[in-house]
Amino acid sequence: MFGKPGAAARAAAFGVLSISTCLALAACSPVKFGAAAVVGGQRISLSALDTQVSNLKAAAAPYGSQISLTAAEMPAAVLGWLIKFQIGNQMAAAAGVSVTQAQVQAGTADINSEAAEAAEEEGLSSAQAALLDAGVTPQMLPDLGLFQAQELAIAEKSNGGKLPTTTAQDNAVSALLTKDQCAAAKYLNIQVNPQFGRLDYSQLTVVPVNDTLSRPAGTPSPADTSGLTPASC
């Protein structure tokens, strides 16, 4: 993920440091009342999102300027992870894989190791700072560990029961995971409350809705809209 062998097999799990026909909500039925998003017909509630954003703000406060994620950006960052975790569950179900608690713990340890490397590269004080800067709260880390374990299990199953050890294997597994993510996100028919943005299928992150209104001089342009429609998978 950060340049080590087999990194591509892990990339989707920690993509910030490193899909649903009805996404443009103005063109389809509204998101369920009180929902930040609807994934597979199930709500990610506004209250659940608010709780995790509060957790993120509280945990990030001691790190001060180390955390580049602004308060305004935190809801979308957190929501992206909450959606991604549901995509991971669907990927695992579609692939017919399940993981043990030991695998989840190993996945969490792997994430912490990757975050520690990222922190060193980016001049941050700790793995925790790198995770927070990516929008991952301490309370969400077990879910990220599960996501990591699920993707590694899929990678192992697709590669004859072991993780990739060659560049060719790594590329093949990475392509498979990308395809599986796309298929899972389409299947889940994800709808994001436009208050928070839209889902970027290419990165599985929530990005701002394209602003078609006039903006004052000097206002940043809206985010790149590539990846905002499902890829062919």
Side-chain angles (χ1 to χ4, degrees):
M1 184 180 313
F2 294 108
K4 299 191 299 183
R10 299 173 170 82
F14 205 6
V16 171
L17 294 177
S18 47
I19 290 171
S20 148
T21 301
C22 186
L23 184 61
L25 298 182
C28 53
S29 59
V31 174
K32 294 180 181 179
F33 179 75
V38 178
V39 183
Q42 301 299 311
R43 297 188 314 159
I44 296 175
S45 69
L46 289 171
S47 61
L49 177 60
D50 287 345
T51 295
Q52 290 296 355
V53 171
S54 295
N55 290 338
L56 180 59
K57 289 178 179 178
Y63 292 93
S65 61
Q66 287 190 58
I67 308 303
S68 62
L69 197 65
T70 68
E73 294 168 335
M74 286 181 178
V78 170
L79 183 58
W81 285 110
L82 296 178
I83 292 171
K84 188 177 290 190
F85 298 153
Q86 296 303 314
I87 291 172
N89 290 338
Q90 175 59 32
M91 288 173 62
V97 303
S98 58
V99 296
T100 65
Q101 187 57 37
Q103 287 175 298
V104 174
Q105 291 172 348
T108 303
D110 193 30
I111 288 293
N112 278 319
S113 177
E114 298 282 345
E117 291 185 15
E120 184 174 356
E121 292 173 3
E122 297 170 17
L124 303 176
S125 62
S126 66
Q128 177 80 307
L131 287 164
L132 293 168
D133 200 42
V136 179
T137 71
Q139 294 81 2
M140 290 161 56
L141 185 56
D143 290 322
L144 184 53
L146 172 61
F147 184 94
Q148 176 85 329
Q150 288 168 330
E151 293 221 325
L152 292 179
I154 295 170
E156 288 180 343
K157 182 176 182 179
S158 69
N159 194 54
K162 60 183 183 300
L163 288 175
T165 57
T166 68
T167 298
Q169 290 174 349
D170 205 42
N171 290 340
V173 167
S174 179
L176 174 71
L177 289 174
T178 297
K179 182 178 180 178
D180 285 356
Q181 282 185 347
C182 174
K186 283 185 176 181
Y187 177 83
L188 291 171
N189 190 33
I190 299 164
Q191 301 176 41
V192 177
N193 188 323
Q195 171 185 349
F196 303 106
R198 300 177 66 183
L199 183 66
D200 182 337
Y201 282 67
S202 65
Q203 298 295 327
L204 299 185
T205 56
V206 174
V207 299
V209 174
N210 190 26
D211 182 8
T212 59
L213 301 177
S214 61
R215 296 182 304 276
T219 302
S221 298
D224 182 6
T225 58
S226 60
L228 294 182
T229 56
S232 176
C233 55

